[in-house]
Amino acid sequence: MGSLLAESRRLLDQAIAEHRGVRHEAGDVVRLRPDMGWEHNLQQLLERARKEAMLTVASPLRIQQYKPGRQTVADMVTTGKEVRLLYTPCYAETRDYESLQRQPELCDRIRVSDADFHNMVIIDRQVAAVWGGTGEQRPYGFVISNPELLRVLHQFAMALWASAPQLSRHRTLSQPESDQMTLAVLRALDLGLKDELAARRLAVSLRTYRRYVADIMVRLGVTTRFQVGARAAELGLLKALSEH
């Protein structure tokens, strides 16, 4: 399983790197810049699903719950479509769990993984949207219909989803390692370390470090790195840093 995930992620990153610097107006990989209409476009993509949809959310473009999108997913489950949802632990913490419990069919489709993955929507294995770069100057987005790349995307997402615990199980597990990493990342941000240096000090990849930063922004309910410091101070997290 580990080798499969590593190879799938390598192929995915390679494909995205090849297209990230190019804007395609037509073809099987179309580069877009996520904007205020991105969520609406994703909802329209979900509504096209005839049989199945895979949705992985690592770091959303905004913090607030997007209710139309959630209703669309719930309607898909109700009408018998095969829906799978994968969240990072930090994103899962922002969801209204009590409300989800009242929708057991939807709640049972949600799994939580601390692996490093992109935000993705894959529809009927025929088209996908991939986006990321939250908190960076140049967020990116792609709409993909290339069969080979879609196969890799779906294989990677399915492997992660199949190996991840359900949301209900995740909530019963303590996460001291996650808390320690959060403090370490906050310390790096407080010191003003460049991402590359911070990643080396924490012994993680640059992409993983930036994912941690994006996760913290979600947990703190902020949209910029500057706001992270202010919010952390309000919550007394900076005091916790000085005690470690």
Side-chain angles (χ1 to χ4, degrees), residues 2-241:
S3 60
L4 171 63
L5 292 177
E7 178 63 11
S8 297
R9 182 55 194 254
R10 184 189 68 77
L11 292 172
L12 175 56
D13 285 345
Q14 178 181 334
I16 288 178
E18 290 175 354
H19 293 89
R20 189 164 181 172
V22 180
R23 180 180 178 83
H24 296 257
E25 298 299 338
D28 52 15
V29 178
V30 179
R31 176 176 169 80
L32 303 170
R33 182 178 177 85
D35 55 21
M36 294 301 293
W38 182 252
E39 288 164 328
H40 178 68
N41 293 335
L42 292 178
Q43 180 181 336
Q44 289 185 318
L45 188 61
L46 284 170
E47 292 172 350
R48 290 171 54 184
R50 295 182 177 182
K51 296 181 179 180
E52 67 176 78
M54 168 71 76
L55 175 60
T56 71
V57 185
S59 50
L61 292 180
R62 68 175 186 176
I63 306 303
Q64 293 82 6
Q65 176 81 357
Y66 186 57
K67 294 182 179 180
R70 175 172 169 178
Q71 186 59 52
T72 298
V73 172
D75 290 344
M76 292 171 64
V77 173
T78 301
T79 55
K81 295 183 176 67
E82 188 63 46
V83 179
R84 298 178 178 88
L85 301 103
L86 184 69
Y87 296 160
T88 59
C90 291
Y91 183 70
E93 290 177 10
T94 70
R95 302 303 85 192
D96 184 351
Y97 184 63
E98 291 185 2
S99 175
L100 285 171
Q101 284 183 304
R102 294 193 289 272
Q103 298 176 287
E105 297 84 359
L106 176 59
C107 191
D108 290 345
R109 309 293 180 93
I110 301 173
R111 299 195 177 187
V112 183
S113 172
D114 59 3
D116 187 13
F117 57 88
H118 293 276
N119 301 291
M120 292 187 288
V121 174
I122 307 173
I123 302 299
D124 294 328
R125 309 188 195 188
Q126 295 180 350
V127 64
V130 179
W131 70 100
T134 304
E136 300 180 23
Q137 291 184 347
R138 296 185 63 187
Y140 60 86
F142 298 94
V143 176
I144 299 168
S145 56
N146 177 278
E148 184 63 20
L149 183 51
L150 279 170
R151 182 188 65 79
V152 173
L153 287 172
H154 190 265
Q155 179 187 49
F156 177 70
M158 281 295 296
L160 283 180
W161 188 87
S163 62
Q166 290 186 333
L167 177 62
S168 57
R169 172 60 177 163
H170 162 75
R171 289 182 61 88
T172 67
L173 302 176
S174 61
Q175 298 177 299
E177 296 86 358
S178 176
D179 292 339
Q180 292 172 9
M181 181 58 73
T182 296
L183 290 177
V185 173
L186 285 173
R187 183 180 295 108
L189 292 173
D190 187 51
L191 293 174
L193 300 181
K194 291 185 177 180
D195 288 0
E196 293 79 2
L197 176 57
R200 287 199 298 271
R201 288 194 177 186
L202 273 60
V204 297
S205 70
L206 179 60
R207 180 184 295 278
T208 297
Y209 173 76
R210 287 175 173 166
R211 229 282 305 282
Y212 280 130
V213 174
D215 284 345
I216 289 172
M217 290 167 63
V218 170
R219 294 174 68 178
L220 297 182
V222 300
T223 56
T224 68
R225 293 191 178 198
F226 175 79
Q227 292 173 336
V228 169
R231 183 62 176 152
E234 291 177 4
L235 297 174
L237 297 177
L238 296 183
K239 180 180 179 181
L241 291 178

